[in-house]
Amino acid sequence: MLDPASVAALLAARHADPFAVLGLHAGPEGALWLRALLPGAEAVDVLEAASGRRLATLAPRRLETDGGPVATPLFEARIPRRRQRFDYRLRVHWAGGGEGVYADAYAFPPLLDEDELRAFHEGHHTRPQRFLGAHAMTVAGVAGVRFAVWAPNARRVSVIGDFNAWDGRRHPMRLRHAAGVWELFVPHAAPGDLYKYELLDANGSLLPAKADPYAFASELRPGNASRVAAPRADTPLPAGRAGHNHAAAPISLYEVHLGSWGHPDLAAATAARPHCAEHTARSGFPHWDALAAVLPAYAASLGFTHLELLPITEHPFDGSWGYQTLGQFAPSARFGEPEGFGRFVAACHAAGLGLILDWVPAHFPRDAHGLGRFDGTALYEYADPREGEHRDWGTLIPNFGRNEVRCFLTGSALHWLEHWGVDGLRVDAVASMLYRDYSRGEGEWIPNAQGGRENLEAIALLRHINTTIGRECPGAITLAEESTSFPLVSAPVHAGGLGFHFKWNMGWMNDTLRYLREDPVHRRWHHDLMSFGLVYAFSEHFVLPLSHDEVVHGKGSLLGKCPGDDWQRFATLRAYYGFQWGHPGKKLLFMGQEFGQPGEWRHDAALPWALLEDPRHAGLQALVRDLNALYRASPALHRLDSDAAGFEWLIADDREHSVFAWLRRDGRGDRAIVACNFTPVPRHGYRLPLPADAHGPWQEVLNTDAPLYGGSGVGNPGRLDPEDGALRLDLPPLATLVLRPA
């Protein structure tokens, strides 16, 4: 019989092994006893599952108190004439009224596979999301949800949610000791149900209820529960996309913060779809379906090859822009249900666009419902604050060396690529992962096992993730936001690299934006800021980013960085875009900068689209469109982006006139000349020397000073024939020219 201590532990939700006492159990002389803990129940009958015949009525267990015996919500009875387990149901009459017939969660055996648990514990499982988290399924003819969570140091874990009145006594879970994973199949739970995990730590203290680290969907903020997602098949990357993601392909990324993009056509797209209008009224954010109707078409119309989205993973605080994520597997509920994200991905691919997601494995916030001290210990994070705290962001750093955390992050990366079929991941804050002394002073960090500053565990993890993606997701790409001179970031792992496909060129960005701010009369003294990037341009596969980080926090917009009067500011920015698109490296431009947003970007306000009524802003947008079209149509401008054979300086040291010019080659006969004048003085008859393979006739195919873009119209119409091994060009003021063979 059940001893009073076990009864008290069950009633207090402190029993560590509920399966030892709940459900069917053999009693004295081979009899079967059935016990069910059902707070709120008034009467409970046991029914034979097949026939519905009542076999017994469970009686509430009574506890002796100072005031006499008291009925408890623990119901039990001896099952007559039964010596073997059988399939049964519980008919429950609830105290508040109502009745239901339910399968018993404690009638089901363990469902998780021992080999999978072992692989997870040993750090070999690449897709733990396939068994951890909430999975709707049917077991023995009963529909329900299998919940599983890693919490090895908890004394008790219960799943709480819509299906049990958020009562931690109702569904305490079974511990699979070898892996520290708790599991439970909850009959009749279903997709759409909200849930969390309630944990007691090793000392028996109740922790704040935790969201599921492996949840595929979440509650709309300010709520922070997880949501059971409907089962969905994986969606691989469409056939043919791999070629568009290759280092030899033209890649031009339009970076977007979905919440503040705010294109005017979104309003009509939202109004035309009642579910989108209802969602936006609740969340203040556009629905995936409205975005799918407008954003891919807009980006494609401007000639971009890819969209790159600031993090869409679930996060508690709008002002973090998604970079403080707590939902590594869940598209944010701000934009609607996860299925809507799948439709958005499909819309991007239908428009010929690749989709890159910002992915944040470097840190996570301290919110009580999140990963921090998940089971009462530093489980996901490093325990020592010298390793486990990000000073800059007030966040926690994952324990990159812990097997289960490695599986968690690897699984997340694969999830977005395999399950949703996106083209790639831009990995945020890689520099902070690589160095143990990142943003720390002397004595504030712990050296690695070799006495150095590198985080060897993080380096090993990045290599593991990139190798796994290369093996399991052919055609998908990873891009590193890495701001230091760490070597071989985009080199293969087998060659000693980190295995990324591309690296953001933060040095190029910082140097050239410094040059951009200079008054033209002073640029001669800063000439090397524009040319220095070519010293190392072919050491990595680079992306040239003009990202969101450069238009916030007092940095001003790109247009705002340009000196001079309005004409000079627009002309300078047009020339700079021409410089960027002609320079070796893939391209990235943050939203709003394609039409010259004058003020800083704000995450809580839509872009100022009305500016496009101004010809200067419309002209800048038209230039971006034409730059993308020329870039995509000209192999010389993209095929050898990472190969020195594809680039040759023609004019590198004309400081006096602030002129730069170079030749681009594709290695197969295509060529292009790019010439820039970063002063407001036209240079008529400027002599441009040509190498031997460029002596044929040329023609001007793009001029950022064209009247179409708001320029003065200085240029070089018609065929241009070299004389004495050189071209004579009219260089417009504050402009970039692109020439191709006539």
Side-chain angles (χ1 to χ4, degrees):
M1 296 297 291
L2 191 61
D3 64 273
S6 292
V7 174
L10 280 172
L11 297 176
R14 295 183 178 277
H15 202 293
D17 187 11
F19 277 85
V21 290
L22 296 177
L24 278 173
H25 292 276
E29 301 177 358
L32 285 176
W33 282 78
L34 196 151
R35 301 184 189 91
L37 184 61
L38 295 167
E42 190 173 71
V44 183
D45 294 324
V46 182
L47 309 180
E48 191 173 57
S51 66
R53 181 168 60 94
R54 185 174 68 85
L55 300 175
T57 296
L58 303 187
R61 182 72 175 254
R62 294 184 174 273
L63 280 183
E64 292 296 330
T65 68
D66 293 342
V70 176
T72 72
L74 178 63
F75 292 80
E76 62 181 355
R78 183 179 186 276
I79 306 300
R81 298 184 302 280
R82 291 279 183 178
R83 292 183 178 273
Q84 296 180 344
R85 293 182 177 274
F86 64 98
D87 193 12
Y88 65 92
R89 298 291 182 267
L90 301 176
R91 181 168 60 203
V92 181
H93 302 267
W94 299 103
E99 174 183 303
V101 176
Y102 311 97
D104 184 5
Y106 298 93
F108 294 88
L111 299 178
L112 299 184
D113 182 77
E114 286 288 350
D115 290 339
E116 287 202 296
L117 290 171
R118 185 179 306 108
F120 174 67
H121 181 59
E122 294 174 355
H124 305 314
H125 207 301
T126 55
R127 300 171 179 86
Q129 68 273 18
R130 294 189 176 177
F131 68 92
L132 291 171
H135 293 266
M137 59 181 59
T138 299
V139 179
V142 178
V145 177
R146 186 193 67 201
F147 296 93
V149 63
W150 177 53
N153 303 302
R155 178 180 293 185
R156 185 268 298 171
V157 180
S158 296
V159 59
I160 55 176
D162 292 338
F163 41 81
N164 62 16
W166 300 88
D167 190 330
R169 297 170 295 174
R170 287 281 301 277
H171 287 114
M173 304 172 79
R174 169 192 276 122
L175 175 62
R176 304 295 294 274
H177 292 272
V181 171
W182 300 75
E183 70 161 302
L184 187 69
F185 178 72
V186 179
H188 317 301
D193 285 347
L194 296 175
Y195 71 99
K196 286 186 178 182
Y197 295 112
E198 183 180 278
L199 300 91
L200 295 183
D201 68 14
N203 298 318
S205 298
L206 184 66
L207 300 174
K210 295 287 188 177
D212 188 352
Y214 286 87
F216 295 135
S218 297
E219 183 182 18
L220 177 64
R221 55 94 177 91
N224 52 40
S226 302
R227 188 181 296 277
V228 179
R232 182 183 186 277
D234 286 349
T235 302
L237 193 66
R241 281 298 318 163
H244 297 285
N245 300 329
H246 194 272
I251 294 179
S252 179
L253 301 125
Y254 184 54
E255 188 189 31
V256 176
H257 175 263
L258 292 175
S260 59
W261 185 60
H263 191 281
D265 290 349
L266 270 179
T270 298
R273 297 163 174 82
H275 70 289
C276 295
E278 187 276 333
H279 167 81
T280 299
R282 284 190 299 112
S283 74
F285 278 65
H287 189 279
W288 285 118
D289 289 336
L291 288 163
V294 180
L295 176 52
Y298 173 79
S301 74
L302 291 186
F304 288 99
T305 65
H306 292 69
L307 283 177
E308 181 174 315
L309 303 184
L310 271 64
I312 61 156
T313 43
E314 193 57 80
H315 54 282
F317 176 46
D318 290 358
S320 76
W321 316 333
Y323 286 102
Q324 294 193 8
T325 182
L326 282 176
Q328 284 286 11
F329 296 86
S332 176
R334 289 167 176 80
F335 309 107
E337 71 287 350
E339 293 81 3
F341 174 62
R343 295 189 291 271
F344 178 82
V345 177
C348 290
H349 288 151
L353 291 171
L355 182 61
I356 308 296
L357 302 182
D358 272 16
W359 184 62
V360 189
H363 63 126
F364 56 84
R366 300 170 180 267
D367 297 67
H369 69 281
L371 300 178
R373 298 193 67 82
F374 189 82
D375 64 357
T377 68
L379 191 64
Y380 283 87
E381 69 270 30
Y382 287 105
D384 192 314
R386 293 174 295 173
E387 298 178 289
E389 294 183 358
H390 255 308
R391 301 284 185 84
D392 293 352
W393 305 310
T395 52
L396 300 173
I397 300 173
N399 185 342
F400 300 117
R402 184 159 193 166
N403 288 340
E404 296 88 348
V405 176
R406 289 166 54 87
C407 293
F408 171 70
L409 293 174
T410 303
S412 172
L414 287 178
H415 175 73
W416 296 102
L417 300 171
E418 290 182 325
H419 191 68
W420 296 109
V422 304
D423 292 67
L425 303 175
R426 178 265 197 185
V427 183
D428 182 62
V430 170
S432 76
M433 299 175 67
L434 297 177
Y435 298 102
R436 288 176 162 265
D437 64 345
Y438 182 87
S439 198
R440 296 179 186 273
E442 187 70 27
E444 296 177 339
W445 57 283
I446 300 175
N448 62 35
Q450 300 173 1
R453 58 192 285 257
E454 295 80 11
N455 189 325
L456 302 179
E457 295 92 348
I459 291 169
L461 174 62
L462 290 171
R463 287 172 169 160
H464 170 69
I465 289 174
N466 284 324
T467 299
T468 303
I469 289 173
R471 181 181 66 247
E472 304 292 336
C473 307
I477 55 175
T478 57
L479 306 87
E481 189 223 6
E482 203 286 303
S483 56
T484 74
S485 57
F486 193 93
L488 304 177
V489 171
S490 58
V493 171
H494 64 76
L498 291 183
F500 287 94
H501 297 84
F502 297 97
K503 171 182 173 174
W504 275 26
N505 193 336
M506 312 295 278
W508 174 91
M509 177 193 71
N510 291 327
D511 288 347
T512 59
L513 288 179
R514 280 179 57 201
Y515 182 88
L516 198 69
R517 293 187 182 95
E518 294 293 335
D519 189 286
V521 74
H522 298 140
R523 284 177 178 158
R524 69 185 66 184
W525 309 112
H526 304 277
H527 197 77
D528 292 345
L529 290 174
M530 296 292 268
S531 60
F532 182 68
L534 272 303
V535 173
Y536 59 87
F538 311 109
S539 61
E540 301 273 5
H541 296 289
F542 280 122
V543 172
L544 309 179
L546 297 175
S547 75
H548 64 279
D549 274 331
E550 304 315 306
V551 294
V552 291
H553 300 322
K555 295 180 182 179
S557 68
L558 295 184
L559 183 65
K561 299 180 198 301
C562 300
D565 59 26
D566 278 354
W567 190 93
Q568 290 183 337
R569 290 166 58 234
F570 277 93
T572 299
L573 189 56
R574 293 194 303 267
Y576 182 62
Y577 285 169
F579 175 86
Q580 178 189 16
W581 258 261
H583 194 286
K586 309 310 179 187
K587 324 303 174 189
L588 181 141
L589 188 65
F590 184 56
M591 65 180 199
Q593 308 313 304
E594 77 271 21
F595 58 79
Q597 180 178 0
E600 287 194 338
W601 166 61
R602 290 176 49 194
H603 76 274
D604 55 355
L607 296 179
W609 293 98
L611 291 174
L612 285 170
E613 298 175 9
D614 183 328
R616 297 170 302 174
H617 293 278
L620 186 61
Q621 184 191 56
L623 172 65
V624 170
R625 179 195 63 220
D626 291 350
L627 282 169
N628 274 326
L630 178 62
Y631 169 66
R632 296 174 71 167
S634 306
L637 293 178
H638 60 253
R639 186 173 178 274
L640 296 182
D641 268 333
S642 304
D643 189 335
F647 178 90
E648 182 177 348
W649 277 115
L650 303 180
I651 300 291
D653 56 0
D654 188 356
R655 298 170 180 272
E656 184 66 24
H657 300 105
S658 297
V659 170
F660 306 85
W662 59 86
L663 179 71
R664 297 290 306 274
R665 301 181 177 93
D666 77 337
R668 298 177 178 177
D670 190 43
R671 292 158 297 157
I673 290 173
V674 182
C676 309
N677 174 15
F678 279 102
T679 70
V681 179
R683 308 293 175 187
H684 295 287
Y686 190 93
R687 186 177 187 277
L688 197 67
L690 299 177
D693 68 338
H695 283 179
W698 293 84
Q699 62 181 349
E700 182 181 284
V701 295
L702 188 137
N703 181 346
T704 67
D705 190 49
L708 170 66
Y709 310 133
S712 63
V714 175
N716 302 270
R719 172 172 157 154
L720 300 170
D721 292 303
E723 298 177 6
D724 300 324
L727 284 176
R728 292 286 180 176
L729 296 177
D730 289 340
L731 299 183
L734 295 172
T736 293
L737 304 178
V738 181
L739 286 66
R740 296 198 69 195

